[in-house]
Amino acid sequence: MNVDIQASPAFAFATVSIPPGGEVQVEAGAMAAYSEGVDVQTQARGGVLAGLKRSVLGGESFFINTFTAQGGGTVSVAPSLPGDMRLMTLDGSQAMMVQSGSWIASDSGIEVDTKWGGAKTFFSGEGLFLLKCTGRGDLLVSSYGAILERTLGPGESYTLDTGHVVAFDESINYSVHKAGNWKTTLLGGEGLVTQFTGPGRLLMQTRSPADFLDWLIPKLPTQRS
């Protein structure tokens, strides 16, 4: 994809150029604008079962919008939360694991499927639900806050709060566990963390949506009887 990302890293806005006869698949609801001559089709990409897996397990929309342009055109996309976007290239050699909610758009040659993060994350309420992106082409991901990239060497480990994960190469092994002991978890305000072990690329976001909600919800007005 030929992508022009503007207003980074706080309020990223990406415009994707569609070549004549080309297409781009976009997460439902992420489209902000498109040019004349661009058509859109909404479908459960990969069939009904694949759409259900993305929706129920991955937290993504059941549907994916496919934009086409016989004579060429553009489609602009924007994430729901303020933050950055990053264009990643997959060469078909390995998959990219993307945190639910971070996938925005990709080439038609990229297949987006769901891989469950594990029972521990499911029952914690801080699920690390992952979308598995495979194939050849470009992949556009978004973040809450700025995106930082770290390359892990073979056997090198790095630990992140689950809310700060954006994406990582499938070559990276990961495990989810509590941050420290029970005292740290209950009194220190820390929940689950994910330990990543290289080799591979790891993308992280500088803000956590879950932490923002924890701060915001107590401040919302409540209805009194």
Side-chain angles (χ1 to χ4, degrees):
M1 294 188 296
N2 184 4
V3 181
D4 179 27
I5 300 177
Q6 298 176 305
S8 292
F11 300 99
F13 186 87
T15 299
V16 182
S17 296
I18 306 175
E23 65 178 46
V24 60
Q25 52 187 359
V26 176
E27 166 68 358
M31 185 277 297
Y34 57 86
S35 65
E36 184 179 3
V38 173
D39 296 320
V40 57
Q41 291 184 340
T42 301
Q43 58 186 341
R45 186 80 175 187
V48 174
L49 290 180
L52 283 173
K53 285 174 64 181
R54 283 194 306 272
S55 178
V56 177
L57 295 180
E60 299 290 319
S61 171
F62 179 85
F63 296 101
I64 290 178
N65 290 329
T66 300
F67 292 84
T68 59
Q70 293 304 315
T74 61
V75 57
S76 297
V77 296
S80 301
L81 295 173
D84 205 356
M85 283 189 276
R86 178 73 62 87
L87 188 66
M88 311 292 293
T89 299
L90 303 185
D91 60 6
S93 61
Q94 68 170 325
M96 174 71 71
M97 313 304 295
V98 180
Q99 169 78 309
S100 172
S102 289
W103 176 78
I104 293 293
S106 58
D107 282 324
S108 58
I110 300 294
E111 181 180 352
V112 181
D113 202 351
T114 303
K115 182 177 181 180
W116 191 24
K120 291 182 179 179
T121 55
F122 178 81
F123 290 110
S124 73
E126 296 184 56
L128 182 64
F129 293 109
L130 303 172
L131 299 177
K132 185 176 182 178
C133 300
T134 58
R136 290 180 178 272
D138 290 329
L139 169 70
L140 188 63
V141 297
S142 69
S143 65
Y144 178 38
I147 294 178
L148 303 178
E149 182 173 343
R150 187 182 184 98
T151 300
L152 300 179
E156 180 183 1
S157 295
Y158 193 70
T159 300
L160 277 180
D161 180 284
T162 56
H164 288 270
V165 179
V166 173
F168 55 94
D169 287 327
E170 190 182 26
S171 58
I172 291 181
N173 293 318
Y174 69 95
S175 61
V176 180
H177 53 83
K178 291 186 295 184
N181 53 30
W182 66 268
K183 184 176 182 180
T184 302
T185 301
L186 296 179
L187 304 181
E190 300 297 336
L192 291 180
V193 296
T194 307
Q195 183 178 23
F196 297 92
T197 303
R201 296 169 296 173
L202 171 63
L203 271 65
M204 64 191 85
Q205 56 192 6
T206 58
R207 294 294 182 269
S208 167
D211 290 346
F212 173 68
L213 289 176
D214 289 342
W215 174 86
L216 177 64
I217 291 175
K219 294 175 171 53
L220 295 177
T222 57
Q223 185 177 6
R224 297 181 179 179
S225 58

